[in-house]
Amino acid sequence: MKYYVVDAFATRIFEGNPAGICILDRWISPEQMQQIATENNLSETAFAVKEDEDYRLRWFTPAAEIDLCGHATLATAFVLAQFYEPEAEQFVFRTLSGTLVVKRSEDRYELDFPSRIPEPIAISEDMIQALGVTPSEAYLSRDLMFVLENEEQVRNLTPDFSALKSLPDGLGVNVTARGNEVDFVSRSFFPKLQVNEDPVCGSAHCNFIPFWSQRLNKTEMVARQLSKRGGTLYCTAQGERVKIAGNAVLYAEADLKLDM
């Protein structure tokens, strides 16, 4: 099985978020896909099979399959463009979150994702203890989202991952604030999925983009994820959809030695 590792939302290797990508002729079992994702130990491994003119796409963390992943979708489109369909200008993926389209524009890839406006919730003492700071606002969609006072709080955050994992709500925990040199900054944590910090989380921006679009009164924004690796995302709010664009770089190409 051909296997690729791509750094997404990156312009050079060791930046952005690495994703494992497997382009298959036919589906293998969910158990095998989970084993591969666990062995890879990346935040996500994506599996794609061409069905008619489109691709069916699934994403797995080291712990479980998930319903939406931005960086691994971008990375899958990058692999298809580089190795399978170099003339294609867009790729259509059928996923657990519906139909997702990725368009190519020179060396940048633009994701068309659902907008997920988070709902405000009360801040609990458990949340404060887990984060190590008191957020100014708290929200819930698929993940918890906390608004912090400034970029420095986001950058310097050292949460208690065990405590984050114990919070009853949310699959992941995202923190965000206005940026100094970009429109907004963020970090993302998924200890419930055995990923303490996701270096660049595209799906989190399905929450961030509508939130900051309303807060900043802007539809086009530049965002930066402040993990150790870091990554830049070019964001557009379009009502019920959001556009998330970025670059990608190939890190590795390999053959997985599996009995198919």
Side-chain angles (χ1 to χ4, degrees):
M1 178 191 300
K2 293 297 295 183
Y3 171 69
Y4 308 86
V5 179
V6 175
D7 290 338
F9 300 112
T11 56
R12 56 182 175 82
I13 61 171
F14 308 128
E15 184 185 43
N17 200 350
I21 308 299
C22 297
I23 309 298
L24 309 175
D25 294 326
R26 58 180 175 83
W27 287 110
I28 58 177
S29 70
E31 292 76 16
Q32 283 182 302
M33 288 188 280
Q34 186 61 69
Q35 287 175 328
I36 292 168
T38 303
E39 183 78 7
N40 291 344
N41 202 32
L42 298 171
S43 55
E44 270 86 18
T45 298
F47 300 85
V49 172
K50 190 160 191 179
E51 298 180 352
D52 298 322
E53 296 302 314
D54 304 332
Y55 287 86
R56 182 73 59 180
L57 179 63
R58 299 174 69 173
W59 310 279
F60 288 77
T61 75
E65 185 173 10
I66 58 170
D67 67 335
L68 186 63
C69 177
H71 82 280
T73 303
L74 188 153
T76 302
F78 172 85
V79 168
L80 292 172
Q82 296 297 312
F83 298 101
Y84 294 85
E85 298 188 36
E87 303 302 319
E89 296 183 356
Q90 73 173 29
F91 298 97
V92 179
F93 298 107
R94 308 297 179 187
T95 79
L96 290 177
S97 290
T99 299
L100 307 177
V101 178
V102 182
K103 293 184 177 180
R104 298 174 64 185
S105 178
E106 296 181 355
D107 61 347
R108 193 172 290 173
Y109 295 79
E110 182 185 72
L111 311 172
D112 183 332
F113 271 25
S115 176
R116 293 178 169 177
I117 299 176
E119 296 293 331
I121 59 172
I123 299 170
S124 69
E125 186 62 32
D126 287 343
M127 294 173 180
I128 295 171
Q129 292 298 320
L131 290 172
V133 298
T134 301
S136 57
E137 302 169 60
Y139 296 84
L140 178 65
S141 180
R142 181 193 72 176
D143 309 318
L144 286 164
M145 185 183 103
F146 297 104
V147 181
L148 303 188
E149 292 294 334
N150 52 51
E151 178 174 316
E152 287 67 33
Q153 275 196 338
V154 175
R155 187 185 305 277
N156 297 326
L157 194 70
T158 55
D160 182 332
F161 295 121
S162 295
L164 290 183
K165 190 175 182 178
S166 298
L167 292 176
D169 295 319
L171 183 65
V173 175
N174 300 306
V175 298
T176 187
R178 291 194 186 202
N180 297 334
E181 297 180 359
V182 296
D183 291 294
F184 64 89
V185 297
S186 64
R187 289 172 68 190
S188 297
F189 310 100
F190 290 87
K192 291 178 182 178
L193 296 175
Q194 299 179 22
V195 179
N196 280 344
E197 181 163 8
D198 197 17
V200 186
C201 184
S203 62
H205 287 73
C206 294
N207 296 155
F208 294 145
I209 293 172
F211 174 84
W212 284 112
S213 178
Q214 293 178 1
R215 188 64 54 94
L216 302 175
N217 195 28
K218 300 175 70 173
T219 57
E220 294 190 2
M221 297 163 287
V222 179
R224 181 76 180 173
Q225 199 128 18
L226 297 180
S227 65
K228 184 177 180 180
R229 295 174 64 97
T232 300
L233 307 93
Y234 302 90
C235 308
T236 305
Q238 292 189 332
E240 295 184 354
R241 308 294 293 180
V242 296
K243 301 291 181 68
I244 309 166
N247 301 85
V249 182
L250 180 68
Y251 174 68
E253 179 181 356
D255 290 302
L256 301 185
K257 303 302 183 182
L258 302 175
D259 293 328
M260 300 291 290

